Amino acid sequence: EAGVTQSPTHLIKTRGQQATLRCSPISGHTSVYWYQQALGLGLQFLLWYDEGEERNRGNFPPRFSGRQFPNYSSELNVNALELEDSALYLCASSPLGQGSYNEQFFGPGTRLTVL
Amino acid sequence: AQSVTQLGSHVSVSEGALVLLRCNYSSSVPPYLFWYVQYPNQGLQLLLKYTSAATLVKGINGFEAEFKKSETSFHLTKPSAHMSDAAEYFCAVSEGSASKIIFGSGTRLSIRP
């Protein structure tokens, strides 16, 4: 069974540009989560999508946005990039939308560098 | 609100020694608790999870953790460390229905030959 995949592996942008990160969940999983792992800040929850809808959002500005497609894959968009957006962005998927526990399976991440 | 505190950002043990990584949590409802491991330049891999069943949870690679409600702790242990255990370990908590995971700050485990 294929795991969570993310693309690209690395992404280099300059300040002010836009970045688009992509995630494909495990087959059969309907929920996709995005986390930011920035140096010194740990792992922070960004966004949760389930069945095409945004279900929850972490404490990030509106320039962080995303969407989930009918095939449950997801995009994370970061507009007006700032230097502090440089981080590893992890995507996770889960077979459960709500209720019970949600074991999340993580992808390898996209390393975003903002120059 | 939920939170997780990992005591010690860096732990170093000798190969063959006991591994003990400490985690304390705060949750207003019965929590679901997780330990994840992250090897260099990789994503997170689930080691084990507590979901209100047995309080002693066994995971992969010989790791286990014990849920102690009275101490609000979920410490990770392994009887004998291997060089391959060197990695970053994250304790995490979830309320389940909220479907987001709150991670601790992580503990980097180093293994001395």
Side-chain angles (χ1 to χ4, degrees), chain A residues 29-33 48-55 68 72 94-98:
Chain A
H29 289 191
T30 62
S31 280
V32 170
Y33 312 81
W48 167 36
Y49 291 95
D50 182 61
E51 297 285 358
E53 300 285 333
E54 182 180 302
R55 302 297 185 182
Q68 187 178 34
Y72 302 115
S94 168
L96 295 172
Q98 295 185 9

Side-chain angles (χ1 to χ4, degrees), chain B:
Chain B
Q2 293 179 306
S3 66
V4 174
T5 302
Q6 290 185 242
L7 301 175
S9 59
H10 183 209
V11 171
S12 179
V13 303
S14 297
E15 190 173 18
L18 171 72
V19 174
L20 171 61
L21 304 183
R22 300 177 185 274
C23 172
N24 288 90
Y25 71 90
S26 173
S27 179
S28 57
V29 299
Y32 299 111
L33 294 161
F34 310 86
W35 275 99
Y36 283 87
V37 61
Q38 186 177 34
Y39 297 101
N41 299 314
Q42 294 187 26
L44 296 171
Q45 180 182 8
L46 181 68
L47 273 178
L48 49 80
K49 58 183 181 284
Y50 167 77
T51 57
S52 73
T55 56
L56 182 62
V57 181
K58 294 187 183 297
I60 62 172
N61 301 340
F63 284 93
E64 63 182 37
E66 186 172 8
F67 172 70
K68 291 187 177 180
K69 184 178 179 180
S70 60
E71 299 177 7
T72 61
S73 69
F74 191 58
H75 302 332
L76 181 71
T77 60
K78 182 174 181 178
S80 177
H82 295 161
M83 297 300 293
S84 60
D85 294 328
E88 187 98 19
Y89 291 80
F90 293 91
C91 181
V93 63
S94 170
E95 289 183 355
S97 59
S99 291
K100 70 177 181 182
I101 292 179
I102 306 299
F103 287 90
S105 54
T107 297
R108 184 163 60 90
L109 176 64
S110 299
I111 311 297
R112 301 187 301 271

